[in-house]
């Protein structure tokens, strides 16, 4: 029987493997999710919060063990991984609070009028969700990461496909968190974990799976999206995919180019460049020595990137070759240690003329690789922005009272899900306002986000209850507002007093 | 040059034709929409309201002429059509008010904390929208119907593809309303009208079109959805398609079966059965004589249906044949006048055993055709509900303190976008709570609605503004809340005082 091998990326050594889930096992796990669906749907968000809080606490209590396994499997370092465990636990608590707030329920009540009937509107959970864990965040975007936590908070059980980059981490995280949630009263089918590429495909095709959440590559996300679109009953695929995440430095901001150069290097090499928000392309005004300064900053920083998998390490080399074929030139390159899945960090430069729609330089190269482009006139920068694909995030570096800030912002905003002023795109806070999505092809559904309060919205759909008597209405629509949620009643938005 | 011929459905006689839009003309019209997009996007919703109000007034002022043309082209009758003009005008005003309310903007502000940056979140308009007018509502779901009005209210210019069932109505409505909106200050590119199947295809493929809204058949909606999914940059297609819209009568409700029988006939023959919410399938308890009573009610009502087009009239006959092939039997049939696009109204009966997933009886047959199914035990009705496809709406007829009401509602709600108690699915109020959508294949995006306040949500996407200084923020996110819209600020929902 085949399985996911666990590797040490620092050496390339393999440890135990985790068996792939068989077709029969997968059927049993989906059936468990189906059996749990109405319970998870019908309890109040306060109950679901107690489950998620228990899971978060368990993750924190077992941080030491989880980080040890994850560091061995991912080489991301225990400092980063400890932070990530804390973040994942924080996310679970945050999505639980968003659910309790209840705005995600979209409750609306139209009282009957002489010409229109009573209608109550409510967002109801879709049912079992297939979650695809990411390679690059073994906790925060993985087994109990943003997708799982927001799906459960919204009232949906999940079946999680573990990423093969860290099977042991996935397995142990699942055991610890799932047990705590079940001990807190959640049904066993609240979450299940499966392994193997075939299991992922089976989930997307399974008639009882109602939605898919994915974080990863364009290739992976698009193939799941296509698969779901071929079903008899098409289901939504929320694929959050990597993009080039442009940075634009205005002429006025160039006065601080040395700081920007260091920040750029730090951001594009962070986590060995394995972020979907990595800034992969920076437009700078010519004449401020930016390319040289970034090259020097890279050499000074001297990162020693170790990639998550052999495949990713190989893809970095391939990607750098493609960027060169597309017209970019290497201007700085660190040396690789040569061990395991190590690679070099690479800075390339390209002419602004290269930035034409469809050019490879406008696409993500996952890993510690970035391209710098110098422009002569602001119009050239604006034209280059026009050629960009949709991206998750884009940064603008501006000066105080910058005369060009408004122009660049106006052109860049339509291309991104998140626009950032004087900061780097890496780092995605889980807050109410966050948008971690973006125009096609950053996400398969640009109206959604995989991080932040609106992440819950992906897993519900509205139902209108026309003429339904009070005794048969769902609790959130009852006259007394027993869940104390915000509701629009006969056109007026009412915020419940929760004190 | 080819065109859309205008027919009198009552006689089959043809009048003037409207020329199909050429490829060059279409390019010019899309360019006008692109040129208008930033103006339409950036003005406050109060300004867009003034445009929509002017358009609504113009529609009402020209009602007499518009209804005359439409009655000739559609045979829907001047009473219904006068009501529909009033409704279409009311919709334009309603969506304008929804825009002014501003909740659709989804404004969220996270003030900076020691660990997270300032982030403002705002829904921004997508850009030019292609709207496909419907055959069956020449005003309310056509040129300036729900889709157009909600897209403009949300800040998007539209290019409208006229339905060939009523080219003259479409053209004249467009002239009257567009002129009034432009006179009120809207840019010329706020709306354009194109004719011809090829124009529709070109719109869906056009790189400058950002979304598609469609009301019509499964075949038409699905083909546009597939076309959009083949684009380089995939765009959302909001296709609202016809469904079977089941009605379930509980055993206790059967005591009033004579009234139900009359209501059913009235609902499924209304507008010659040409509603996407037509109840096409009714489950009734055996032993209450329901089939006989419905048959008699149909014979008493003696509708004389005239269909919108020759194609629709032919499809009714084909559909009835398919239903028979699938196991249903004709139990009552009115006679057709034989003139023009007239047809018979048909009631069929089927055994509950026929209701297996995939059976034709579970799909829409557009026109004055319905199937009645008698069940022996409630479990049989529940099993039949389980076999249903997703539908726009479903009705439950119950008695007071009905012991089976909760069970039927619990099983039917997951199948529909709108669940109705003791009323019929035809009639879709445009209110805050309305949901005119439903699970696949009722709509290509079950999270959306084409009627009601949430219709605007289809035409915006969220953008997060991280670290953006006040001077560069969009107006709705400014500290003073100049648009007086509801906003969530640092986690707390704030409703502005608009008095």
């Amino acid at each position: 029987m085949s399985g996911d091998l666990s590797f040490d990326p620092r050496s390339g050594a393999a440890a135990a493997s985790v068996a792939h889930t068989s077709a029969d096992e997968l059927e049993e796990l989906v059936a468990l999710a189906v059996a749990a669906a109405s319970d998870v749907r019908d309890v109040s968000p306060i109950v679901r919060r107690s489950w998620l809080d228990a899971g978060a606490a368990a993750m924190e209590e077992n941080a030491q063990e989880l980080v040890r396994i994850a560091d061995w499997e991912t080489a991301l370092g225990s400092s980063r991984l400890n932070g990530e465990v804390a973040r994942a636990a924080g996310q679970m608590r945050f999505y639980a609070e968003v659910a309790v707030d209840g705005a995600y329920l979209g409750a609306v009540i139209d009282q009957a009028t002489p010409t229109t009937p009573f209608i109550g509107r409510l967002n109801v959970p879709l049912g079992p969700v297939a979650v695809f864990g990411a390679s690059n965040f073994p906790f925060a975007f993985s087994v109990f990461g943003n997708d799982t936590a927001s799906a459960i908070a919204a009232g949906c059980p999940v079946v999680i496909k573990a990423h093969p980059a860290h099977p042991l981490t996935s397995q142990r995280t699942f055991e610890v968190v799932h047990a705590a949630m079940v001990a807190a009263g959640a049904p066993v089918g609240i979450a299940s974990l499966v392994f193997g590429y075939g299991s992922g495909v089976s989930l997307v095709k399974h008639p009882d799976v109602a939605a898919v959440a994915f974080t990863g590559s364009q290739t992976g996300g698009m193939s799941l999206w296509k698969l779901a679109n071929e079903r008899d009953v098409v289901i939504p695929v929320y694929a959050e995919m990597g993009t080039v995440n442009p940075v634009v430095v205005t002429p006025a901001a160039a006065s601080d180019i040395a700081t920007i150069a260091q920040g750029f290097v730090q951001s594009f090499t962070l986590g060995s460049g394995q972020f979907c928000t990595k800034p992969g392309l920076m437009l700078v005004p010519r004449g401020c020595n930016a390319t040289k300064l970034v090259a020097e900053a890279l050499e000074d920083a001297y990162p020693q990137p170790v990639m998550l998998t052999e495949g990713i390490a190989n893809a970095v080399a391939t990607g750098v070759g493609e960027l060169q074929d597309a017209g970019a030139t290497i201007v700085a390159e660190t040396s690789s240690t040569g061990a395991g899945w190590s690679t070099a960090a690479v800075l390339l430069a390209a002419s602004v003329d290269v930035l034409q729609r469809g050019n490879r330089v406008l696409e993500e190269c996952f890993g510690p690789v970035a391209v710098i482009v110098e422009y002569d006139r602001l119009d050239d920068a604006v034209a280059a922005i026009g050629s960009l694909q949709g991206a998750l995030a884009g940064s603008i570096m501006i000066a105080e009272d910058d005369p060009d800030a408004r122009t660049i912002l106006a052109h860049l905003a339509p291309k991104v899900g998140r626009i950032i002023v004087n900061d780097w795109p890496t780092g995605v806070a889980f807050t109410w306002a966050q948008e971690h999505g973006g125009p096609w092809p950053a996400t398969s559904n640009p109206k959604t986000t995989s991080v932040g309060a609106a992440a819950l919205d992906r897993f519900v759909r509205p139902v209108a209850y026309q003429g339904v008597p009070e005794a048969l209405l769902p609790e959130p629509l009852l006259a007394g507002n027993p869940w104390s949620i915000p509701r629009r009643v006969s056109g007026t938005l009412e915020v419940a007093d929760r004190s």
Side-chain angles (χ1 to χ4, degrees), chain A:
Chain A
M1 182 156 188
S2 57
D4 287 349
L5 261 181
S6 172
F7 287 97
D8 171 5
R10 293 183 179 95
S11 68
S17 87
V18 178
H20 288 168
T21 308
S22 73
D24 287 351
E25 287 166 341
L26 186 129
E27 280 302 325
E28 283 172 29
L29 295 174
V30 174
L32 273 182
V34 171
S38 61
D39 283 351
V40 180
R41 179 190 68 201
D42 293 338
V43 297
S44 95
I46 290 176
V47 176
R48 293 200 294 269
R49 179 175 62 184
S50 69
W51 303 343
L52 287 162
D53 283 355
M59 205 185 283
E60 288 173 335
E61 281 156 22
N62 293 273
Q64 202 176 348
E65 180 195 1
L66 295 175
V67 166
R68 184 177 49 72
I69 300 170
D71 186 42
W72 192 86
E73 271 188 325
T74 67
L76 289 171
S78 57
S79 165
R80 141 81 189 266
L81 290 167
N82 269 306
E84 205 186 314
V85 168
R87 178 187 168 115
Q91 288 170 178
M92 293 178 81
R93 295 190 179 102
F94 173 69
Y95 293 120
E97 287 303 333
V98 171
V100 170
D101 171 273
Y104 85 100
L105 291 163
V108 183
I109 295 170
D110 293 330
Q111 301 295 1
T113 72
T115 53
T116 60
F118 168 94
I119 306 180
R121 180 188 181 88
L122 188 69
N123 289 331
V124 299
L126 294 179
V129 173
V131 171
F132 285 73
S135 63
N136 55 344
F137 282 89
F139 299 110
F141 288 83
S142 194
V143 174
F144 281 93
N146 284 286
D147 288 333
T148 294
S150 56
I152 291 175
C156 299
V158 296
V159 182
I160 306 151
K161 152 74 170 59
H163 197 283
H166 38 68
L168 298 180
T169 308
S170 298
Q171 190 173 47
R172 187 65 190 138
T173 307
F174 179 80
E175 288 167 358
V176 161
V177 177
H178 181 255
M181 291 179 73
V182 171
V188 172
I190 185 98
S192 300
L193 185 65
V194 301
F195 292 86
Y197 174 82
S199 300
V201 170
S202 299
L203 284 179
V204 176
K205 294 164 107 172
H206 201 292
D208 289 328
V209 168
V212 177
F214 168 91
T215 302
S217 67
Q218 289 284 342
T219 316
M222 289 299 175
S223 73
L224 297 186
W225 175 79
K226 283 188 183 138
L227 203 59
N229 282 349
E230 288 161 9
R231 293 170 48 118
D232 275 353
V233 174
V234 173
I235 57 174
V237 172
Y238 303 111
E240 182 261 284
M241 298 169 283
T243 52
V244 81
N245 307 306
V247 179
V248 183
V249 181
T250 66
S255 60
D256 201 19
I257 194 69
T259 311
I260 291 172
Q262 290 191 347
F264 183 45
V265 166
Q266 197 175 2
S267 185
F268 89 73
T269 62
L270 192 71
S272 300
Q274 298 170 119
F275 285 109
C276 47
T277 53
K278 181 201 76 175
L281 177 68
M282 186 162 74
L283 287 158
V284 294
R286 193 184 303 284
C288 66
N289 225 8
T291 303
K292 182 162 172 284
L293 287 167
V294 175
E296 287 172 5
L298 179 63
E299 281 152 16
D300 289 350
Y302 201 75
Q304 296 201 292
V306 179
M307 310 311 285
L308 290 156
T309 69
E310 189 169 19
I312 294 174
N314 292 340
V316 171
T318 309
V320 170
E322 289 168 356
L323 291 172
Q324 290 174 285
D325 292 346
T329 319
I330 294 178
V331 290
E333 188 171 14
T334 64
S335 61
S336 157
T337 66
W341 320 142
S342 64
T343 185
V346 183
L347 175 71
L348 301 97
S351 156
V352 73
D353 305 331
V354 163
L355 303 187
Q356 304 293 327
R357 208 167 283 197
N359 187 288
R360 174 67 177 88
V361 172
L362 300 173
E363 294 168 17
E364 178 189 44
C365 178
F366 195 68
V369 180
V371 179
I372 189 164
V373 172
E374 299 191 354
Y375 64 84
D376 287 307
R377 299 175 313 126
L378 199 74
D379 283 357
D380 297 335
V382 167
I385 292 169
S387 71
L388 291 167
Q389 290 190 320
L392 293 168
S395 286
I396 312 178
M397 302 299 172
I398 63 173
E400 213 164 326
D401 298 323
D402 194 316
D404 302 317
R406 194 168 291 275
T407 301
I408 299 295
L409 192 141
H411 284 88
L412 194 57
K415 296 286 184 175
V416 300
R418 178 169 50 109
I419 191 140
I420 303 144
V421 170
N422 289 342
D423 204 350
W424 301 95
T426 41
V428 182
F430 54 94
T431 62
W432 282 90
Q434 189 56 277
E435 172 59 27
H436 190 52
W440 188 278
T443 42
S444 53
N445 189 329
K447 297 172 62 59
T448 63
T449 182
S450 62
V451 182
L456 274 69
D457 300 348
R458 298 175 295 168
F459 305 115
V460 294
R461 73 172 176 95
V463 174
Y465 297 81
Q466 178 178 330
V468 176
E470 179 87 0
L472 293 174
L473 280 177
E475 272 187 273
L477 295 178
L478 294 178
N481 194 7
W483 289 7
S484 297
I485 58 173
R487 308 196 298 188
R488 188 177 290 269
V489 180
S490 293
T492 302
L493 193 55
E494 298 180 354
V495 180
D497 182 5
R498 314 198 79 166
S499 59

